[in-house]
Amino acid sequence: MVLAVEWVESPQPRIRLLDQTALPAQETHLDITTVDGLVAAIQSLAVRGAPALGAAGALGVVVAMHQADREGWDETRLQTEVDRIRLARPTAVNLAWGVDQVRGAMAQGAEQVLTLARGVVTDDETANRELSRLGADWVLERTGLERVRVVTHCNTGALATSAWGTAYGIIHELHDRGRLGLVYADETRPLLQGSRLTSWELTQDGIEHVVQVDGAAPSTILRGLVDVAIIGADRIVANGDTANKVGSVSLALACARAGIPFVVAAPSSTVDLATTTGDDIEIEQRDPEEVVNFGGRRTAPEGVKGFNPAFDVTPHDLISAIVTERGVVEPVQTPHHNLLARIAG
């Protein structure tokens, strides 16, 4: 199984990242030994996906502590650098969560922080496998089908986690049970995480699929070509509203019209009970140049500015099921202002 994030001790303690900006053309790794390097990797999407960012955040505290020792930082500088990691991508709650899981142990030394960070990584894989089992059970029971055709958006596999995957994990679980039909993977503009990354993982796992442009997804759903949409999340708030890669909400709207399930899958660490509704989620604005350029070439007239929100918010009343390793809730059937409390971390 591919590892997006791992800790390497020798010859120098570091985070080793699979550079996702280079896939699928080549598999290259980044060795991260500084806070600057980690923040750059996070913001460039060399490492991405909510659970993977959680792992990177936790391990990043160890990187910051080792750099502080090498460069003689005082405590104020160290805490400032840890904050830089924590805030590198504001919409993805797991990044801050990962930092917070280990930050309180910094006074006990880097080894203790590393032990806790490794626990974050291990726990994520365990959570992913359990939520995949629960999600597959729910999909099969809800659809009543022998083989389920799926549409998915962005990338939620092992590349986006510490191992296995979230929404992709459910797809993989259905495949392993012999219950999966054709998968439609949205290309996911503007950085093509679906065509570059999800298709690469599906190919590695021998899962039959096609790649479609994002704008085709609603029509694919309305034409009856899929039975369920399964996506991940970067933040799920108390009432069940979810933030995910921009383009997700169009799938939810089409599923509601077609009368098929729209499923969101994420570990319980992605649940943010401190935020009441999706209106309060900060939406990351990325570089406009990502929109007006493609493959290194300008695609819009010179002087035209791009608008590049990285995420959109799907209202809870469009979501059939939210799955974490702690269970499944159904926002459409049982709306509540604190719906996610039962399956939150």
Side-chain angles (χ1 to χ4, degrees), residues 282-302:
E282 178 182 356
I283 300 298
E284 176 188 353
Q285 292 289 331
R286 292 187 59 80
D287 185 353
E289 293 301 303
E290 292 177 351
V291 174
V292 296
N293 292 275
F294 188 82
R297 298 182 62 183
R298 182 92 181 172
T299 56
E302 290 295 337

Side-chain angles (χ1 to χ4, degrees), residues 17-47:
L17 302 176
L18 178 61
D19 183 359
Q20 297 186 38
T21 66
L23 288 171
Q26 54 184 323
E27 295 180 41
T28 61
H29 289 83
L30 302 175
D31 288 324
I32 305 297
T33 60
T34 67
V35 172
D36 282 350
L38 180 57
V39 170
I42 291 169
Q43 293 181 341
S44 71
L45 306 188
V47 59

Side-chain angles (χ1 to χ4, degrees), residues 65-112:
M65 294 176 73
H66 282 299
Q67 187 176 359
D69 286 343
R70 293 195 308 271
E71 299 181 9
W73 296 348
D74 62 18
E75 182 63 20
T76 299
R77 171 70 186 279
L78 174 58
Q79 295 299 333
T80 298
E81 296 296 323
V82 170
D83 282 336
R84 287 183 60 214
I85 298 170
R86 189 179 186 278
L87 300 173
R89 293 199 71 193
T91 305
V93 68
N94 288 69
L95 178 58
W97 174 87
V99 170
D100 293 345
Q101 292 305 294
V102 303
R103 191 173 198 168
M106 291 174 66
Q108 300 173 47
E111 285 304 312
Q112 178 60 24

Side-chain angles (χ1 to χ4, degrees), residues 34 140 199 202 204 288 313:
T34 67
L140 292 173
S199 182
L202 289 165
Q204 298 291 312
V313 175

Side-chain angles (χ1 to χ4, degrees), residues 147-170:
R147 292 171 67 85
V148 182
R149 302 165 300 171
V150 178
V151 62
T152 192
H153 191 70
C154 200
N155 173 260
T156 57
L159 291 171
T161 66
S162 65
W164 189 249
T166 53
Y168 184 97
I170 296 175

